[in-house]
DNA sequence: AGCCAGGCTTGGT
DNA sequence: ACCAAGCATGGC
């Protein structure tokens, strides 16, 4: 039965923390709900005691795409149990109960993180919103499900057809040529985002880093948030500060030292651990 | 190794 | 209201 709404029964899922934790930049809060776009679907999500209530403009035959995006089927408990048993991790888990990792579209994730460099989250949201309005597909609103116009994330082809000047007008500055180059390589078939899935972590990371404007941090974000490489551990200044403060409070640890520590300390779900530390640091410390 | 590349937010006056 | 400093990643 095609329907425009469903209830995803899930517990231990903090929708607000998940959609507002710096892994994705398209969701906005409206009253008690979150409005966003997944693929070509405008989506409204509402946290309820029974789970996540989801509404879309178009009727859906099944909701697998949304379950996959929200990662509602994973066993969070198992992941949390695999975290190192130390005080910082216990505190982070206790204060960010229900924080999840999404499974995003690789191109949207890559493009968003190319735009993220040396930007704060509020600014990344603005840039991405402008980019979608100007180059994405207009999605027709269906009252009363949605009253506002939404836009799909522009495809590599849509961005490849733009000029650097038009992209700069979305306030992305020096990131414009990087985004344009990536879009063109992908649109021309010279860079294959699907191939990344078949590589191991180190190979996949090296492959992404061939793109201009993609260093280790951005590659790790894409590997973690879009491809599900759970061992990817993006190290940005927040995480560096968190590691320094939580694990080396007495002595100053060099950046390579912190990286080596992170690579071995957090186990097979290091990426999840990173998200908990990041959110803990952003919301609870300083 | 150290500087440079938007533009928005924050903090000081 | 204004102006300076801060943000935070990759490339050269």
């Amino acid at each position: 039965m095609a329907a425009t709404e469903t209830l995803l029964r899930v517990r231990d899922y903090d929708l607000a923390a998940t959609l507002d934790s710096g892994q994705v930049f398209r969701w906005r809060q409206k009253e008690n709900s979150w409005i966003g776009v997944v693929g070509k679907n405008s989506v409204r999500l509402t946290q309820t005691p029974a789970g996540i209530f989801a509404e879309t403009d178009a009727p859906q035959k099944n909701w697998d795409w949304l379950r996959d995006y929200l990662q509602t089927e994973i066993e969070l408990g198992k992941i949390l149990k695999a975290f190192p048993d130390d005080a910082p991790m216990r505190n982070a888990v206790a204060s960010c109960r229900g924080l999840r990792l999404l499974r995003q579209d690789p191109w949207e994730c890559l493009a968003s993180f190319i735009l993220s460099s040396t930007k704060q989250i509020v600014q990344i949201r603005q840039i991405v919103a402008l980019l979608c309005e100007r180059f994405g597909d207009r999605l027709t609103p269906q009252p009363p499900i949605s009253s506002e116009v939404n836009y799909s994330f522009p495809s590599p082809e849509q961005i490849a057809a733009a000029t650097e000047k038009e992209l700069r007008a979305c306030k992305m500055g020096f990131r414009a040529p990087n985004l344009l180059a990536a879009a063109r390589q992908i649109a021309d078939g010279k860079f294959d985002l699907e191939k990344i899935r078949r590589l191991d972590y180190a190979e996949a990371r090296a492959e992404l880093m061939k793109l201009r404007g993609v260093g280790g941090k951005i590659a790790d974000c894409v590997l973690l948030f879009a491809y599900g490489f759970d061992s990817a551990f993006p190290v940005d200044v927040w995480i560096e500060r968190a590691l320094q403060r939580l694990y080396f409070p007495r002595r100053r640890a060099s950046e390579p030292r912190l990286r080596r520590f992170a690579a071995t300390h957090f186990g097979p779900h290091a990426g999840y651990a990173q998200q908990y530390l990041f959110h803990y640091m952003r919301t609870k410390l300083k």
Side-chain angles (χ1 to χ4, degrees):
Chain A
M1 260 308 262
T4 60
E5 56 179 60
T6 193
L7 176 68
L8 305 174
R9 295 187 180 280
V10 59
R11 44 190 191 76
D12 257 347
Y13 201 119
D14 186 336
L15 194 59
T18 300
L19 299 180
D20 197 26
S21 60
Q23 58 181 310
V24 67
F25 306 101
R26 298 213 60 197
W27 293 91
R28 57 188 192 275
Q29 191 162 24
K30 199 182 174 196
E31 286 132 33
N32 293 322
S33 302
W34 291 85
I35 314 280
V37 176
V38 180
K40 300 280 187 202
N41 285 303
S42 290
V43 183
R44 180 162 69 189
L45 301 173
T46 312
Q47 181 109 51
T48 77
I52 297 170
F53 184 63
E55 299 159 277
T56 56
D57 283 340
Q60 308 295 324
K61 289 194 199 73
N62 76 68
W63 297 85
D64 292 347
W65 57 275
L66 187 58
R67 286 194 191 90
D68 182 58
Y69 177 84
L70 293 171
Q71 291 282 289
T72 52
E73 308 302 297
I74 59 135
E75 285 195 61
L76 185 62
K78 274 190 186 166
I79 290 168
L80 301 184
K81 277 201 190 95
F83 286 175
D85 188 20
D86 57 36
M89 237 20 272
R90 280 195 300 270
N91 289 336
V93 169
S95 70
C96 310
R97 188 114 207 119
L99 178 63
R100 305 279 186 137
L101 288 180
L102 301 170
R103 183 64 55 88
Q104 300 179 49
D105 171 73
W107 164 245
E108 176 168 342
C109 189
L110 172 64
S112 299
F113 279 92
I114 285 175
L115 299 176
S116 77
S117 85
T118 65
K119 281 288 179 197
Q120 297 165 92
I121 290 172
V122 275
Q123 296 175 63
I124 303 167
R125 286 206 187 100
Q126 294 176 41
I127 296 170
V128 169
L130 279 173
L131 187 70
C132 293
E133 274 172 40
R134 293 180 185 179
F135 300 101
D137 295 331
R138 188 188 160 99
L139 306 174
T140 314
Q142 304 286 320
I145 301 292
S146 69
S147 53
E148 293 163 62
V149 174
N150 283 310
Y151 296 85
S152 67
F153 194 90
S155 65
E157 290 74 16
Q158 285 173 312
I159 291 180
T163 64
E164 184 182 320
K165 197 176 172 198
E166 289 172 322
L167 293 177
R168 279 184 186 268
C170 298
K171 306 185 189 301
M172 64 182 75
F174 64 86
R175 300 155 197 81
N178 296 341
L179 179 67
L180 187 55
R184 285 184 176 161
Q185 287 180 66
I186 291 161
D188 293 348
K190 296 193 178 91
F191 193 95
D192 184 0
L193 286 174
E194 284 308 306
K195 188 178 88 178
I196 302 284
R197 295 185 199 283
R198 304 191 287 272
L199 305 177
D200 66 31
Y201 166 68
E203 293 169 335
R205 191 172 192 265
E207 189 64 20
L208 285 173
M209 286 174 69
K210 288 179 184 170
L211 296 168
R212 266 185 68 93
V214 179
K217 190 271 175 180
I218 290 175
D220 277 336
C221 286
V222 177
L223 291 174
L224 182 62
F225 301 142
Y227 291 100
F229 282 89
D230 262 18
S231 56
F233 192 100
V235 178
D236 65 0
V237 296
W238 284 95
I239 284 298
E240 228 178 280
R241 278 179 215 154
L243 294 177
Q244 174 71 55
R245 179 163 165 187
L246 299 172
Y247 289 97
F248 303 92
R250 320 243 62 153
R251 60 189 192 285
R252 161 122 184 84
S254 68
E255 191 204 307
R257 175 93 180 78
L258 290 173
R259 282 174 193 281
R260 277 198 308 277
F261 171 78
T264 55
H265 183 69
F266 293 102
H269 302 293
Y272 251 94
Q274 179 270 357
Q275 198 64 16
Y276 275 81
L277 288 176
F278 182 81
H279 197 70
Y280 178 51
M281 183 76 179
R282 277 217 313 145
T283 58
K284 301 293 172 358
L285 304 176
K286 188 166 62 174

